[in-house]
Amino acid sequence: MKRRDFLKLCLGSIPAFLFQHYLGLSAYAKEVFGGRQVSRHTRKPLKGISSICQLCPAHCGIIGFLEGDQLVKIGGNPKHPNNLGKLCARGLAGVNMAYDPDRITSPLMRKGERGKGQWERISWDKAYTEITSRLKTIYQSGQKGDFVFQSEHEPDGILKRFLEAFGKALILYEDSLNFGNRDWGQWLTWGEEKGIPDVANSHYILNFGSNPYETHEYYAGFIGRLMEGRFQKKAKLVTFDVRLSYTAGNSDEWFPISPGNDGMVALAMANVILKSNLHNRDFIERWTNIPTSALAQYLSQYPPEMAEKISGVAASDIERIAKEFAMSMPAVAISGRGVSSHLNGVYNERCIFLLNTIVGSIDIPGGYCLPRTYRFEKPDSKLFSQKEKAFDLEKVQITPQKFISMVKRGKFTPKLHFVYESNPAYRNPESGLTSEVLKNEKLIPYMVVADSYMTETAALADIVLPTTTYLESWGIDSSPALDINPFIGLQQPIIPPFAKSVPISDIFIELAHRIGGGLPRYFKFNSTEEYIKKVASGIEKLEKAGGLKYLKENGVWFDSNVKPRYRSYESKRFNTPSGKIEIYSERLKRKGFQPLPTYEPIPGHGDLKGKFVLVTYEPNVMGSRTGNFKWLTEIKHQNPVWINKDVAKQLHIGEGDRIKISTRLGSFVTDARFTFGIHPRVIAIERNLGHWGFGHIARAKRFKSKDPNTNLIWWEKEGNGISPNPIISGNSDPIGGGEAWNDTLVIISKA
Amino acid sequence: MKQEVKWGMVIDLKRCVGCFACQVACKAEHETPLGVWRIWVKTIQKGTYPEMATLSLPWDCPYCERPEEARYPRMSVLFLPWLCNHCDRPICNTVCPVGAAYKREDGIVMIDPHRCIGCNYCRAACPYNVRFSNPITGMIQKCDFCAHRVDSGLPPACVEVCPTNAMVFGNLKDPSSKVAQLLSKEKIQVLKKEMATYPNVYYIGLDKDIADPLKGWEKHYYHKEFEKL
Amino acid sequence: MEVQVLYNVFHHEAVSLLIAIYFHIVGLHAGCSIVSITATLLGKKEYKPVAKIGAIFVIILFSISPIFLLTDLFQPLRFWYLFIHFNPTSPLSWGTFILCAYPIFTGIYIYFLFKGNVRWSKIFGVISLPTAIGVHGYTGFVLGFAKARVLWNTAVMPSYFLASAMISGMAFMLIVALIRYRFTYKDKPFEEREKDLKIIDLLAKWMAGFMILNVFYVFSDLTVMYYHTEDAFETVELVRLGKFSFLYIWVDNVLGNIVPSLIIIFNKTRKSHLLLLIAAILASIGVFIMRYVMVFGGQYVPLS
């Protein structure tokens, strides 16, 4: 740098004087900043395009900043009411996806055997022709289930429209494996699949198996509010978790509970609360379908002493925490994967919910609130018959995992399996079986994978279609509002599609027109943008504010004149048959399940006979779609198995030894981490690592590309971890259908 | 009257959740290559738990046999975002043979990329080990408080994204700024005070075990001697 | 108390092996030239061959030393920035100018030495002696000023580096002198042989002296560190018990300093040229190991 440049620098800092008040204020709580960016090279403001992050269910508002036409950075959108301009590591690393040299550049058709990895580049026209000819036959003369569509999340927008119009599709989504139990447990209880814990206003947060410090459904926005609750409202955070997660390690109290028994502790707490007369009688009488006396009598069969024997949490602690919880209102009990990803997940979830109910902490400030969203009307909705979500056991049971085992047993003979941004060959429990079935041309005659990466599943496809990522496509979203004032977010392309990739919605519009028949009349719009405009125009107030144009400029819209109103059930009642919170579920009873919140021991967990329970958990930076993100893999590329120090000593496993973990499905050998921060009967391992496909970076392989960073992968020797999925038995909760990720019994030995 | 400016940062470690947002935001802002960092979040786990004297843990309830007051491990997870401290007495500036390292009037310690010869001496001398040589450009680099952003009135990239507002950036000389308020109100600690570098990155709730680079280091000799006793 | 690091980053060493080698070579030629100049200044005729041998090696070694220094720079083409920017607080900056002055004065000194001009060689010997001391002395300050590393940041470092430079220089010249004697003594008259033997004896004795000084430095450095900060304690334990203990304690100090000095101290062993040769080789190895341990042992303890 020359002296002149230095002077420039000093002069450049003059604006800082002007802004220093603004910076001086950059402090706590809802003081929002962000949304602006200057170029590092020219110091000129960069053009920002607001959109919605799709890397996790939180759907934070983002702004993509462009230097020239290159996406250089992703920042948080300060106008977004959930994340308030904040963003997590995953969202920030989304830039890695934009120009990743590992992405698929053109449609590919298999050459030679399936899974051999030999591909022929084909044109989009040829790809469409191949797929259309098969879909046409199914559309004209097939039966339900001949076309199987699978995606990571429940399809919405144009995808949903196509699938409903097509009519004969079986829809699978990965989320049902992870959230199925939670969704159904809550749906049956209060008519919503998930709620919003209003932690910013709570005085007491009782956390069962959730890990908001590392991952959460509303991560960036939720954790900020949780901190507000903890440090402004001085809320106490009590965590029940089998391992010392970041949350457990920062809680005021942590109880290493035995896995799958959270429901039992919650029941015992509810029992204590009712016995000590700390419950909210009015709320129970008015808003639940069970009288207080009947509930008290029912709960009396769950004394804390019994819970102590089952869960390992001392009876005195259960009693104390229960009383603290009920006496420091507003208090909220939250739950997470540690509660619901069990064979008894639905029951567990209902037990935790019971705690919120009996203290009346439902939809009050600092309580467990109803999700507030906008519902989008379908354009030309008369074409569709209105169907309400029904509690249908058959429907619930088909998860991607169930589907595979049914195909294997010949109970299901799909003609075309279409997978979009889902990776069952890697993500499914018992993933070896999934690969085996997907490889078998007799079982799955034709498989199409639409993805931006050559995932483990895409490697088994007949045709691979390159799709755009969330940074290159349209979408509209109304996630539950953390500040209970609903909003609408717009996902719009920040950059043009990578290479020859095409947004999935455009693929299906094209397919609909090519299949013909009755399908094209559902797609009377020229582009996805036009479709979204139609959807947005369905919201009256938004239309007044400027409609799609407003959304394009701001990325998000909400009615700022509305004050948040709690206790909305008082006017709308709950979305259940009785209109109340169904502590007693008639629907469960009809299907032959326990109608009241109950505890059911997990088979085999009572007496482990020397076995251990393998639990899996989500690391804080690595999600399902982020496997090939260089900045995230750099942070998280190893997943040693956690094992209790006492136990390791007992098994004569010493520092530096590798351990072997086996189930009936197989085994793997990996590094161990010895700690007291885990229940002695549990071993824990991170998910989302140990890819054998996906991309070079996901596999920790150095390679030369335009990006010099790909040649700097320093963790090549350390490897990319290991995936526990091949040895996790595909058992699921009979009600919710969610996978019991945390119930696998394993044998461990020194390798 | 012209307000004097001295930029500084206060990090409230109680609020830090170890999400790595600052670390990744920084990589994005500066296109820092893999293998080097301008800021990173050191994470440790610590706690006490008496090991079982007898090695027979009951299979059904391993915690039940312990006395109630010492039933569970008492453990915690701690985080420490580690970045350039923009010292008032920066050793890196002192030892730079060509004067490429300099301190701006507003307190930001910078490196002149056009003058640096890449001799690595500043890297060797910095007690915080925050300097690195960029493997792609061959330049010595480090955190510069996002000088280009600060000059345009924006907070540094890490501060902007911190989901819990644990990082606070501002003018230390302005008594009304949040940093100045925190400095006067909270219990403040700095890293490696004994190095006489007078850092301008302050921590609230800094724990000695995470601030100590040697704790948890596999070859901690004091620890080994201690075990023998 | 169980403390486990769950996440931390890895830092590469800032000072590389190239620098360790550079330190060694600089020490070597500085040692040679100091010996050479001292021999000239003492003015005895019998020292003249020593002075000449030393001078030749100074030229050779000095011309290869910048290669290591330049290849270590990340921007080697900008090396000349060192000459146009001076930073008085940076020993690297001092070093630059000493490294410039040193070859000029020493070159002139060598020129007159080989020309046989005693007077001018003495004058330029006096002028170039401080630069010869400085050319190695500055490296001691380079490490001494790096306050991050407790093994470097000691007051004893510059003198310690100088003492070891003298050892390496003398050991090197001793080896040369021994080889020269082995191949030439048959043709020489008795008095000449006696002179050669005397020089060898003198070099060896001086070397032993510096070795004892060196051991004293190590002793005072390490013992004081035991009474210093935690970093210092851990570092000294590292060189005493840990990864570097074999190299530093056994190879450098016992084999490289104590054993050779014992060989030299005892008259009987000193008379054996084979043992002297072994002592000189051990001393050379010892000094190199010392540079290596200083550079890498110093950087081994983590800072974050």
Side-chain angles (χ1 to χ4, degrees):
Chain A
M1 189 183 279
K2 303 278 142 47
R3 189 169 299 264
R4 191 162 47 87
D5 296 336
F6 178 71
L7 272 174
K8 243 195 246 169
L9 251 182
C10 295
L11 286 174
S13 55
I14 287 173
F17 295 120
L18 307 173
F19 284 97
Q20 49 95 6
H21 273 288
Y22 169 68
L23 284 170
L25 279 172
S26 64
Y28 282 9
K30 294 194 182 155
E31 287 152 29
V32 175
F33 41 75
R36 288 173 57 213
Q37 177 78 24
V38 289
S39 163
R40 199 155 44 89
H41 312 291
T42 62
R43 312 219 164 187
K44 286 198 182 112
L46 293 183
K47 187 189 167 196
I49 299 177
S50 52
S51 185
I52 296 289
C53 180
Q54 297 284 354
L55 292 172
C56 89
H59 293 180
C60 293
I62 56 169
I63 297 182
F65 293 101
L66 300 168
E67 184 146 24
D69 53 357
Q70 291 272 308
L71 174 68
V72 290
K73 205 189 168 196
I74 293 175
N77 184 354
K79 289 175 184 159
H80 196 279
N82 266 16
N83 64 311
L84 300 165
K86 306 298 185 184
L87 215 51
C88 73
R90 293 185 205 185
L92 288 158
V95 195
N96 291 172
M97 209 179 210
Y99 310 107
D100 192 335
D102 274 336
R103 275 177 66 173
I104 307 171
T105 49
S106 123
L108 300 169
M109 195 156 89
R110 165 167 73 92
K111 268 198 317 195
E113 259 177 90
R114 220 185 237 183
K116 274 277 179 288
Q118 287 163 318
W119 303 97
E120 185 192 340
R121 291 162 155 270
I122 55 169
S123 67
W124 270 102
D125 188 58
K126 191 173 178 199
Y128 281 133
T129 317
E130 286 276 327
I131 299 164
T132 312
S133 67
R134 286 171 170 84
L135 278 180
K136 209 169 187 172
T137 328
I138 299 171
Y139 184 63
Q140 283 162 356
S141 57
Q143 37 181 303
K144 188 169 167 119
D146 279 357
F147 172 42
V148 180
F149 179 86
Q150 178 172 343
S151 57
E152 187 179 5
H153 308 295
E154 198 174 343
D156 58 355
I158 285 178
L159 281 182
K160 194 176 173 195
R161 195 176 175 86
F162 178 88
L163 294 167
E164 278 180 14
F166 192 83
K168 282 158 185 164
L170 173 78
I171 302 165
L172 307 167
Y173 45 95
E174 260 176 38
D175 282 354
S176 58
L177 282 172
N178 297 320
F179 301 109
N181 297 343
R182 195 271 319 267
D183 290 357
W184 283 101
Q186 295 211 8
W187 172 260
L188 290 167
T189 313
W190 70 329
E192 298 290 346
E193 288 182 345
K194 53 189 174 186
I196 299 292
D198 189 14
V199 284
N201 297 312
S202 294
H203 288 168
Y204 202 94
I205 301 151
L206 200 51
N207 166 28
F208 288 95
S210 176
N211 186 9
Y213 271 60
E214 287 179 75
T215 73
H216 193 269
E217 217 167 338
Y218 314 110
Y219 188 46
F222 187 79
I223 189 65
R225 285 171 174 84
L226 180 68
M227 286 298 135
E228 281 319 296
R230 287 199 70 187
F231 296 109
Q232 301 297 101
K233 299 276 179 341
K234 304 274 181 269
K236 183 171 177 179
L237 175 64
V238 178
T239 297
F240 293 84
D241 202 320
V242 293
R243 66 177 187 99
L244 186 84
S245 61
Y246 284 9
T247 314
N250 281 281
S251 298
D252 296 298
E253 286 188 64
W254 166 55
F255 296 100
I257 189 173
S258 55
N261 297 325
D262 305 65
M264 182 70 216
V265 173
L267 286 171
M269 283 185 175
N271 182 15
V272 171
I273 292 169
L274 280 162
K275 271 222 176 90
S276 343
N277 215 11
L278 294 167
H279 58 285
N280 187 334
R281 173 181 276 274
D282 291 346
F283 185 84
I284 300 176
E285 293 292 339
R286 219 178 131 198
W287 289 109
T288 73
N289 62 354
I290 187 167
T292 319
S293 53
L295 185 62
Q297 208 201 337
Y298 168 75
L299 287 173
S300 63
Q301 59 174 309
Y302 298 110
E305 290 71 28
M306 184 178 160
E308 165 168 352
K309 229 172 256 161
I310 289 167
S311 68
V313 181
S316 57
D317 286 324
I318 295 179
E319 204 154 313
R320 178 174 55 86
I321 300 290
K323 285 179 181 166
E324 280 179 14
F325 173 73
M327 290 197 297
S328 30
M329 288 298 281
V332 65
I334 61 175
S335 64
R337 276 184 76 248
V339 166
S340 60
S341 287
H342 285 287
L343 285 172
N344 56 5
V346 170
Y347 287 154
N348 273 342
E349 193 65 42
R350 277 169 56 77
C351 294
I352 312 292
F353 199 87
L354 177 70
L355 278 178
N356 285 323
T357 314
I358 58 170
V359 296
S361 191
I362 301 290
D363 213 35
I364 58 164
Y368 201 72
C369 296
L370 286 158
R372 269 107 167 146
T373 59
Y374 279 104
R375 282 192 59 173
F376 300 120
E377 294 294 323
K378 288 177 193 145
D380 315 316
S381 56
K382 28 185 201 306
L383 289 169
F384 299 93
S385 56
Q386 288 292 327
K387 265 186 284 175
E388 264 303 297
K389 186 168 181 172
F391 179 52
D392 179 354
L393 266 185
E394 294 306 311
K395 187 194 154 205
V396 171
Q397 271 187 330
I398 299 186
T399 60
Q401 156 66 13
K402 283 268 157 52
F403 165 75
I404 291 294
S405 60
M406 282 163 89
V407 170
K408 169 83 180 168
R409 278 180 281 135
K411 290 199 174 168
F412 222 62
T413 46
K415 297 261 162 35
L416 192 149
H417 189 21
F418 194 109
V419 182
Y420 163 60
E421 280 201 355
S422 174
N423 192 3
Y426 166 81
R427 294 268 290 172
N428 268 4
E430 216 180 328
S431 54
L433 177 74
T434 307
S435 296
E436 187 193 313
V437 168
L438 294 182
K439 222 182 248 178
N440 192 331
E441 283 178 58
K442 281 181 195 131
L443 297 175
I444 309 274
Y446 201 71
M447 184 152 99
V448 183
V449 174
D451 207 314
S452 24
Y453 287 98
M454 187 52 90
T455 61
E456 288 84 349
T457 310
L460 303 174
D462 295 307
I463 280 199
V464 180
L465 305 175
T467 51
T468 55
T469 63
Y470 70 105
L471 299 168
E472 302 138 74
S473 26
W474 288 93
I476 191 159
D477 155 86
S478 181
S479 296
L482 294 176
D483 286 337
I484 74 164
N485 185 10
F487 60 86
I488 291 171
L490 177 74
Q491 179 198 334
Q492 59 180 327
I494 298 169
I495 43 172
F498 179 81
K500 285 187 186 162
S501 55
V502 171
I504 190 75
S505 49
D506 292 357
I507 293 177
F508 274 98
I509 294 174
E510 177 71 24
L511 282 175
H513 287 289
R514 283 188 182 229
I515 292 165
L519 280 180
R521 70 191 166 108
Y522 289 92
F523 297 93
K524 279 188 203 148
F525 32 82
N526 293 323
S527 64
T528 317
E529 186 182 352
E530 201 178 310
Y531 165 81
I532 282 168
K533 197 171 180 180
K534 278 188 181 176
V535 171
S537 64
I539 311 285
E540 212 177 292
K541 280 179 178 169
L542 169 62
E543 198 57 17
K544 261 185 209 161
L548 189 63
K549 192 164 168 275
Y550 182 92
L551 281 178
K552 273 186 184 172
E553 275 163 21
N554 296 287
V556 68
W557 169 85
F558 57 93
D559 190 353
S560 48
N561 299 325
V562 174
K563 277 247 159 95
R565 274 192 57 238
Y566 289 93
R567 292 195 176 83
S568 68
Y569 52 83
E570 284 180 349
S571 53
K572 289 190 208 145
R573 299 173 68 80
F574 291 100
N575 183 21
T576 52
S578 62
K580 295 176 171 184
I581 293 176
E582 298 203 331
I583 303 273
Y584 182 92
S585 176
E586 192 60 42
R587 290 179 285 186
L588 275 174
K589 186 156 189 239
R590 252 185 277 140
K591 294 287 176 187
F593 296 109
Q594 296 291 329
L596 281 163
T598 184
Y599 166 74
E600 201 170 76
I602 291 159
H605 279 207
D607 181 9
L608 289 165
K609 295 200 188 81
K611 287 186 178 175
F612 292 83
V613 183
L614 173 71
V615 306
T616 63
Y617 68 96
E618 193 102 359
N620 59 348
V621 293
M622 192 49 74
S624 54
R625 305 276 318 147
T626 62
N628 215 46
F629 284 19
K630 60 187 175 195
W631 294 331
L632 301 184
T633 4
E634 185 184 29
I635 296 171
K636 183 64 73 185
H637 50 260
Q638 278 180 308
N639 55 348
V641 160
W642 294 37
I643 181 166
N644 190 287
K645 256 191 187 171
D646 278 333
V647 171
K649 207 168 171 189
Q650 212 168 345
L651 296 171
H652 305 292
I653 300 170
E655 209 67 52
D657 286 343
R658 283 162 72 81
I659 63 170
K660 186 177 173 186
I661 297 159
S662 19
T663 68
R664 62 176 178 86
L665 294 174
S667 65
F668 61 80
V669 174
T670 186
D671 296 323
R673 208 186 109 198
F674 306 104
T675 171
F676 283 120
I678 187 162
H679 190 282
R681 293 291 161 256
V682 178
I683 60 168
I685 191 163
E686 280 160 323
R687 321 198 293 173
N688 300 342
L689 288 148
H691 278 284
W692 57 90
F694 215 102
H696 286 87
I697 302 166
R699 284 180 286 129
K701 291 273 175 290
R702 231 174 245 239
F703 70 111
K704 284 213 166 72
S705 73
K706 260 189 233 164
D707 179 3
N709 278 302
T710 56
N711 207 20
L712 293 171
I713 297 172
W714 51 268
W715 58 95
E716 202 170 20
K717 271 196 193 127
E718 291 176 21
N720 65 336
I722 197 151
S723 166
N725 295 351
I727 67 158
I728 289 177
S729 56
N731 286 333
S732 56
D733 184 303
I735 310 170
E739 171 63 23
W741 290 108
N742 300 336
D743 287 339
T744 316
L745 292 183
V746 297
I747 299 167
I748 53 181
S749 56
K750 195 160 140 178
Chain B
M1 196 188 83
K2 199 173 98 177
Q3 170 84 52
E4 273 190 83
V5 178
K6 183 180 172 190
W7 298 116
M9 193 185 276
V10 179
I11 304 179
D12 187 347
L13 297 175
K14 298 195 300 288
R15 282 175 168 261
C16 181
V17 295
C19 67
F20 292 103
C22 46
Q23 193 172 323
V24 175
C26 180
K27 282 242 161 170
E29 183 70 41
H30 298 277
E31 291 169 62
T32 322
L34 299 181
V36 286
W37 298 264
R38 286 168 184 243
I39 176 173
W40 65 95
V41 186
K42 185 182 176 183
T43 308
I44 69 160
Q45 169 190 302
K46 68 168 197 170
T48 54
Y49 197 48
E51 271 180 65
M52 288 292 271
T54 61
L55 284 176
S56 67
L57 297 170
W59 277 99
D60 51 340
C61 182
Y63 286 117
C64 291
E65 279 207 348
R66 293 177 184 258
E68 235 169 66
E69 63 278 5
R71 175 166 283 200
Y72 319 108
R74 299 266 176 244
M75 301 186 79
S76 54
V77 178
L78 303 166
F79 315 103
L80 178 63
W82 191 296
L83 65 160
C84 174
N85 282 267
H86 296 276
C87 313
D88 283 346
R89 208 170 148 253
I91 181 71
C92 47
N93 289 7
T94 317
V95 300
C96 178
V98 292
Y102 62 97
K103 195 169 168 74
R104 285 191 354 182
E105 270 179 43
D106 57 5
I108 301 179
V109 176
M110 301 269 284
I111 302 159
D112 184 343
H114 303 292
R115 199 189 265 198
C116 172
I117 59 166
C119 69
N120 284 312
Y121 191 18
C122 52
R123 273 178 68 203
C126 173
Y128 304 98
N129 218 347
V130 294
R131 291 179 164 241
F132 58 85
S133 59
N134 185 321
I136 294 171
T137 62
M139 294 290 174
I140 306 293
Q141 292 178 337
K142 67 164 191 78
C143 163
D144 57 0
F145 269 165
C146 286
H148 61 288
R149 290 178 62 98
V150 172
D151 292 346
S152 316
L154 303 174
C158 50
V159 175
E160 184 184 84
V161 295
C162 180
T164 58
N165 291 310
M167 299 174 108
V168 184
F169 179 80
N171 183 1
L172 297 169
K173 285 193 176 165
D174 174 9
S176 65
S177 72
K178 190 77 199 173
V179 278
Q181 286 170 17
L182 286 172
L183 282 184
S184 43
K185 212 166 60 189
E186 299 276 350
K187 296 178 184 74
I188 295 284
Q189 186 58 268
V190 294
L191 289 171
K192 303 200 182 184
K193 187 177 161 292
E194 71 280 3
M195 287 290 168
T197 46
Y198 306 100
N200 283 314
V201 173
Y202 303 89
Y203 295 91
I204 301 171
L206 180 64
D207 174 82
K208 96 171 173 38
D209 287 327
I210 193 161
D212 185 349
L214 301 168
K215 274 283 161 65
W217 188 46
E218 61 219 288
K219 296 163 188 80
H220 196 250
Y221 288 97
Y222 174 71
H223 183 64
K224 278 190 181 155
E225 287 198 347
F226 191 71
E227 269 181 356
K228 269 185 255 155
L229 295 174
Chain C
M1 179 78 95
E2 169 198 305
V3 177
Q4 265 181 23
V5 178
L6 303 187
Y7 182 83
N8 204 353
V9 300
F10 170 80
H11 297 277
H12 287 277
E13 279 100 355
V15 182
S16 66
L17 185 65
L18 285 173
I19 295 297
I21 296 171
Y22 168 77
F23 283 166
H24 188 71
I25 290 177
V26 168
L28 211 54
H29 71 67
C32 287
S33 69
I34 292 168
V35 174
S36 166
I37 294 164
T38 320
T40 311
L41 292 182
L42 289 177
K44 287 194 182 166
K45 255 213 173 126
E46 58 260 37
Y47 294 162
K48 215 171 177 185
V50 174
K52 280 187 173 168
I53 296 166
I56 291 165
F57 281 101
V58 168
I59 296 167
I60 297 169
L61 290 168
F62 183 80
S63 47
I64 58 170
S65 66
I67 299 169
F68 296 98
L69 207 54
L70 289 179
T71 45
D72 183 65
L73 290 185
F74 280 110
Q75 303 287 341
L77 294 179
R78 289 189 184 169
F79 77 93
W80 53 275
Y81 283 23
L82 283 164
F83 305 115
I84 56 167
H85 304 292
F86 178 67
N87 182 1
T89 54
S90 172
L92 269 193
S93 209
W94 310 347
T96 312
F97 294 97
I98 297 171
L99 274 172
C100 293
Y102 171 69
I104 297 169
F105 295 130
T106 313
I108 298 168
Y109 154 71
I110 291 168
Y111 171 78
F112 285 121
L113 183 69
F114 278 84
K115 262 203 131 184
N117 190 331
V118 180
R119 189 161 165 256
W120 282 103
S121 69
K122 270 190 183 176
I123 289 169
F124 276 93
V126 170
I127 297 172
S128 68
L129 188 61
T131 60
I133 294 169
V135 85
H136 192 66
Y138 98 89
T139 59
F141 283 102
V142 165
L143 289 191
F145 282 10
K147 73 163 126 186
R149 302 295 180 176
V150 75
L151 198 62
W152 301 347
N153 187 14
T154 61
V156 90
M157 186 55 69
S159 348
Y160 181 33
F161 256 49
L162 266 182
S164 53
M166 292 306 295
I167 295 170
S168 64
M170 284 172 167
F172 190 75
M173 293 187 64
L174 190 59
I175 294 168
V176 174
L178 283 168
I179 292 170
R180 178 171 165 271
Y181 180 75
R182 176 74 184 78
F183 287 105
T184 57
Y185 77 99
K186 282 179 191 148
D187 317 326
K188 282 183 181 166
F190 180 74
E191 301 101 75
E192 288 285 309
R193 281 193 211 171
E194 274 298 288
K195 268 184 193 167
D196 280 2
L197 284 175
K198 214 178 156 193
I199 292 167
I200 288 168
D201 198 61
L202 199 71
L203 269 175
K205 277 179 181 163
W206 272 98
M207 189 170 84
F210 277 108
M211 277 170 175
I212 291 158
L213 186 66
N214 214 1
V215 171
F216 170 72
Y217 282 146
V218 172
F219 174 78
S220 57
D221 200 14
L222 295 196
T223 46
V224 170
M225 270 200 230
Y226 269 108
Y227 297 83
H228 207 256
T229 58
E230 186 195 355
D231 271 16
F233 171 70
E234 290 294 332
T235 312
V236 70
E237 287 292 78
L238 179 78
V239 293
R240 189 174 69 92
L241 301 165
K243 196 181 167 190
F244 295 95
S245 73
F246 173 74
L247 284 180
Y248 194 62
I249 303 296
W250 294 102
V251 179
D252 175 14
N253 281 306
V254 176
L255 284 178
N257 282 330
I258 296 171
V259 172
S261 52
L262 286 178
I263 290 175
I264 293 160
I265 285 165
F266 293 110
N267 269 330
K268 256 191 193 160
T269 42
R270 191 170 68 242
K271 294 283 174 267
S272 156
H273 282 191
L274 182 67
L275 280 177
L276 262 190
L277 186 69
I278 290 169
I281 291 170
L282 281 177
S284 304
I285 295 170
V287 172
F288 180 72
I289 293 298
M290 173 260 180
R291 314 278 187 216
Y292 177 84
V293 172
M294 276 300 136
V295 167
F296 289 98
Q299 296 178 90
Y300 190 68
V301 175
L303 290 178
S304 62

